[in-house]
Amino acid sequence: MRNKKFEVNFLRTMLIIGLGMLPFLFRKPPIKDWLLAYAFNALTNGIIDKFIVSHGLLRYPTRLLKKQFRINVLFDFLLYPSISVMINQATYHDKGLKILYKIVLFTIPMFFIELWAEKRTKLIEWKTGWMWYHTFTSVTLKSYLNRLLIGWIRKIEKKQDEMKIK
């Protein structure tokens, strides 16, 4: 299945799906929490992926904006941040291990898609030193930390609102 045309069409389809999801992600309040989760995830994705790619652990032979970036711009700045918003929405009222459980339910399908892409396409190549468990663990941990940050900011905001009322 190493067909470049298929891979480019797959990326274009994912771009359309990702852009189509955006209006629905930011429909329910608190919108500023979702925007913050999206922005924080996108920013850290770009930094982490740049580090991983520049150290030769991963490579993206077929990607959008190939001449401008060596990272996977589509995943880093659109798809994974959108999933991060979904995770934050799905765990909005949850605490502790229930958050982690739901995050794992989101990261397992992402992992299998990456595994398929690594084995069957030229969308991603794991280099020496990078294994499947690095992907699964890093995405799960990063999603959990993102959710904890948004929850922490929400608590601070709630305390500030309570202080204004007094």
Side-chain angles (χ1 to χ4, degrees):
M1 191 183 284
R2 296 196 183 261
N3 180 347
K4 187 160 177 89
K5 187 175 181 180
F6 166 79
E7 293 162 0
V8 170
N9 286 335
F10 178 79
L11 292 174
R12 288 179 181 153
T13 301
M14 295 309 296
L15 175 65
I16 291 166
I17 290 170
L19 291 173
M21 283 187 334
L22 288 178
F24 300 101
L25 289 178
F26 300 107
R27 287 178 67 164
K28 68 183 201 185
I31 294 171
K32 66 179 183 258
D33 286 5
W34 312 146
L35 289 170
L36 185 59
Y38 188 97
F40 179 72
N41 188 277
L43 174 70
T44 56
N45 288 346
I47 293 168
I48 292 168
D49 207 11
K50 172 78 172 147
F51 178 83
I52 290 170
V53 168
S54 65
H55 282 78
L57 298 172
L58 288 177
R59 194 169 83 87
Y60 305 104
T62 305
R63 61 189 179 276
L64 298 179
L65 302 173
K66 189 172 186 159
K67 292 180 182 176
Q68 291 82 10
F69 300 97
R70 290 177 51 206
I71 63 174
N72 188 338
V73 175
L74 178 62
F75 182 77
D76 290 343
F77 299 125
L78 179 63
L79 298 177
Y80 186 30
S82 296
I83 292 168
S84 178
V85 171
M86 287 184 232
I87 289 170
N88 275 274
Q89 290 173 347
T91 62
Y92 185 72
H93 298 290
D94 298 330
K95 293 183 176 153
L97 288 178
K98 193 170 183 182
I99 294 170
L100 188 58
Y101 170 75
K102 286 183 179 180
I103 288 171
V104 168
L105 291 177
F106 276 90
T107 57
I108 286 174
M110 289 185 344
F111 163 72
F112 279 114
I113 291 168
E114 183 173 323
L115 184 63
W116 165 81
E118 200 277 331
K119 297 287 184 205
R120 303 278 184 183
T121 71
K122 288 269 190 194
L123 294 171
I124 186 170
E125 288 180 4
W126 295 341
K127 296 298 194 173
T128 304
W130 194 266
M131 301 295 289
W132 66 268
Y133 50 85
H134 292 116
T135 295
F136 181 75
T137 304
S138 62
V139 170
T140 302
L141 181 61
K142 186 171 177 307
S143 297
Y144 189 66
L145 292 173
N146 182 288
R147 171 55 179 84
L148 290 178
L149 175 71
I150 300 304
W152 179 67
I153 291 171
R154 196 176 297 130
K155 280 183 182 180
I156 291 172
E157 183 180 38
K158 186 177 177 182
K159 285 182 183 179
Q160 288 177 341
D161 288 346
E162 290 171 356
M163 291 178 79
K164 286 180 189 176
I165 294 172
K166 291 179 183 179

